[in-house]
Amino acid sequence: MHVPDGFFDAPVSVGAGVAAAAGIAVSLRGAHRELDDRTAPLAGLSAAFIFAAQMINFPVAAGTSGHLMGGALAAILVGPYAGVLCISVVLLVQMLFADGGVTAYGINVTLMALTGVLVGYGVFRLVMRLWPPGAPRRAGLGAASFLGALASVPASALVFVALFAIGGTADLPLGAVLGAMLGVHVLIGIGEGVITALTVGAVAAVRPDLVYGLRGQAAPLQIRTPETAEA
């Protein structure tokens, strides 16, 4: 999904850059409401984990491979605003190592940070809201995390195709681009969903009070001592 330099014309690159800058500016303001002294370290750990996980590719089909995008994962753990900032920082560091073009940074932020977070977290919240109250909460968290992450990847691919239709520089049929992007990224989305569900579940099992997606639902953390255990 990392777009190199020259794949889109200047107007699309500039337009995406403006959208990315606006999204980051809004997220900088919004992140103050999501992070506090307890959860701020988790944002740094999430960015570091996503950066490392993106280095690992898993096979998809027909000789292609994919890797974690991380938008849904970051949003569920630390909130959508902080999630946008996490992915934007990851993309910035990767750009410095030539993984994604300098002039395409705004496009990559638009695809993976803005679209990935908005769609992933939106689907996550919808599934959590529709989950039956009497059903196991852990299963609901896993299902919501999986579906949110799964939806975020083809959604980003669709935005890519839309931008390509407006200002792609490669001489490729739009239908072929659409079929290739959706076909591969639906499969990548399945891997994204599995990784996201496992990671969110692992964090929630230990510190549910730190998971942003569980705010208002997770029971407060209780420290057990010999006195409280006897009581």
Side-chain angles (χ1 to χ4, degrees):
M1 184 66 73
H2 289 80
V3 176
D5 288 319
F7 205 84
F8 290 92
D9 61 19
V12 168
S13 298
V14 172
V18 171
I24 291 173
V26 172
S27 297
L28 284 170
R29 294 176 61 88
H32 289 291
R33 301 192 297 270
E34 297 173 343
L35 301 177
D36 53 31
D37 292 340
R38 294 181 308 109
T39 57
L42 182 60
L45 290 173
S46 299
F49 174 80
I50 292 168
F51 177 81
Q54 286 193 359
M55 301 297 180
I56 303 173
N57 289 289
F58 50 86
V60 178
T64 61
S65 62
H67 62 71
L68 180 75
M69 283 175 48
L73 174 60
I76 295 167
L77 289 179
V78 298
Y81 293 116
V84 168
L85 298 180
C86 286
I87 303 302
S88 298
V89 169
V90 169
L91 293 172
L92 178 62
V93 175
Q94 290 176 333
M95 181 192 72
L96 298 177
F97 291 94
D99 192 1
V102 175
T103 60
Y105 178 70
I107 293 173
N108 287 320
V109 169
T110 300
L111 296 177
M112 288 183 273
L114 300 183
T115 304
V117 165
L118 291 176
V119 173
Y121 191 71
V123 172
F124 169 82
R125 294 305 308 172
L126 177 62
V127 175
M128 290 292 286
R129 187 174 300 149
L130 297 177
W131 193 255
R137 188 185 67 182
R138 179 171 295 184
L141 177 64
S145 300
F146 174 81
L147 292 174
L150 170 61
S152 69
V153 179
S156 297
L158 283 175
V159 174
F160 174 93
V161 174
L163 293 177
F164 182 85
I166 298 172
T169 58
D171 186 17
L172 297 171
L174 185 60
V177 174
L178 175 62
M181 290 295 291
L182 276 185
V184 170
H185 285 87
V186 166
L187 297 176
I188 294 175
I190 295 174
E192 179 101 7
V194 170
I195 296 171
T196 300
L198 291 175
T199 305
V200 171
V203 176
V206 180
R207 291 295 303 270
D209 57 308
L210 294 183
V211 179
Y212 183 87
L214 286 178
R215 288 189 180 180
Q217 302 182 43
L221 180 67
Q222 297 182 350
I223 306 299
R224 295 182 62 85
T225 66
E227 291 76 13
T228 58
E230 292 176 1

